[in-house]
Amino acid sequence: MNIWLLAIIILLIAVFMVMTGHGGGNFFIIALVLAGIDMHIAATSVQFILFTSAFFAMLVFGKKKFVEWKLAVLMGILIGISAFAGGLFSKYVDEKPLKLILSVLLFILAILMLKPVKGKEIQEIKTGWKYWPVKSFDNTATYYINLLIVVPIVLSFGFVAGMVGISGGSFMVPLLVLACSVPMKNAVATASTLVAVSALFGFTGHVISGHFDYKIAVPLAIGGAIGGLIGGSIAIKSKPKLLKILFALTTLAAAIIMAYKIFY
């Protein structure tokens, strides 16, 4: 397949994935493999695509003040370190068991995301050493972050995401919405920042392993960047309920795709 035609396909996927905060690693990898690209090169290229699409989406979200930067910094550092380690050690681990577990978790998260989250939970005051109170970027709410839950989850999913070549957005959005009570649009925006960090460090780990082909990765990353700009702009104008439904549906699709690739 012509590389620029594939870049257009990547652009279209990126638009939809950025809207839901997914990143889209599962969908990007399918497009590249079906186009006949070697799996190892495809995994590295996908990490680069994820970085560019998420980075440019982050610029759009950040300009409109939807990114919760304090949460992004904390989780970004954790996911960056763990994703780098996952990408570096990817060649030493059998990915099939990990992908099976991930597909089941994705299915569960998709169902949970369809459950309404009451707005008043955002303002519930929680005290104790394990809670980190974080003021929202617009100072209209306070999020109480349970560090005993959030830190281990971010480290675990960051490592696995970097290892199997996915963004981690599928887990970051539910974590922010369900565990941190962050509104959906803010969660999507913040997840885009985390996807960019995760993908960058995961990409670096894969490059060190020797699987980077710039002639493939750069044109596709250009498509991802344009898709990130468009997807971010559409997400800002969309209703939170619609974004949650789209997220749940795309997460279910990702779970089915991942499970299918394990057995077939």
Side-chain angles (χ1 to χ4, degrees):
M1 181 183 291
N2 180 277
I3 192 65
W4 291 107
L5 176 59
L6 183 57
I8 293 174
I9 295 174
I10 293 299
L11 185 157
L12 296 174
I13 296 174
V15 170
F16 198 66
M17 292 298 103
V18 165
M19 283 181 62
T20 58
H22 267 295
N26 287 322
F27 299 91
F28 290 139
I29 198 75
I30 290 174
L32 269 62
V33 171
L34 289 178
I37 297 174
D38 175 77
M39 185 63 189
H40 290 293
I41 293 177
T44 305
S45 299
V46 163
Q47 291 287 338
F48 192 44
I49 296 167
L50 286 169
F51 168 70
T52 55
S53 63
F55 177 79
F56 281 91
M58 179 188 71
L59 295 180
V60 175
F61 289 128
K63 184 177 180 181
K64 296 295 183 179
K65 299 183 178 181
F66 278 101
V67 179
E68 299 295 353
W69 290 108
K70 291 181 181 179
L71 291 177
V73 170
L74 169 67
M75 295 184 181
I77 292 173
L78 296 175
I79 203 171
I81 295 171
S82 55
F84 172 77
L88 192 61
F89 290 98
S90 60
K91 61 183 177 181
Y92 301 111
V93 178
D94 183 3
E95 296 180 357
K96 286 187 177 181
L98 289 175
K99 288 184 175 180
L100 180 59
I101 295 173
L102 283 174
S103 65
V104 173
L105 289 175
L106 285 173
F107 180 83
I108 295 173
L109 289 173
I111 301 302
L112 290 175
M113 282 297 288
L114 292 174
K115 180 181 178 182
V117 178
K118 297 181 181 180
K120 65 180 181 181
E121 293 179 1
I122 298 176
Q123 298 296 337
E124 181 183 349
I125 298 176
K126 298 178 181 180
T127 59
W129 62 269
K130 65 180 180 180
Y131 289 107
W132 176 38
V134 179
K135 273 284 187 182
S136 63
F137 191 70
D138 59 5
N139 290 316
T140 61
T142 300
Y143 311 124
Y144 294 92
I145 312 304
N146 189 327
L147 297 176
L148 291 182
I149 294 176
V150 171
V151 172
I153 290 177
V154 174
L155 287 174
S156 300
F157 285 139
F159 183 81
V160 175
M163 182 173 293
V164 302
I166 64 174
S167 65
S170 298
F171 301 99
M172 290 301 104
V173 171
L175 179 64
L176 289 166
V177 173
L178 301 175
C180 303
S181 297
V182 176
M184 185 62 187
K185 284 189 180 182
N186 300 67
V188 168
T190 306
S192 293
T193 305
L194 297 174
V195 167
V197 174
S198 170
L200 177 61
F201 281 88
F203 167 70
T204 303
H206 278 281
V207 169
I208 293 175
S209 297
H211 299 130
F212 180 62
D213 187 337
Y214 73 92
K215 294 181 180 178
I216 293 175
V218 173
L220 300 184
I222 292 174
I226 297 173
L229 291 172
I230 297 173
S233 300
I234 296 175
I236 289 174
K237 299 176 182 178
S238 300
K239 294 182 179 180
K241 185 176 180 179
L242 174 61
L243 295 179
K244 288 189 69 176
I245 293 173
L246 290 176
F247 180 90
L249 293 176
T250 50
T251 301
L252 285 174
I256 294 172
I257 290 170
M258 186 174 290
Y260 180 83
K261 289 192 295 183
I262 294 172
F263 299 105
Y264 298 97

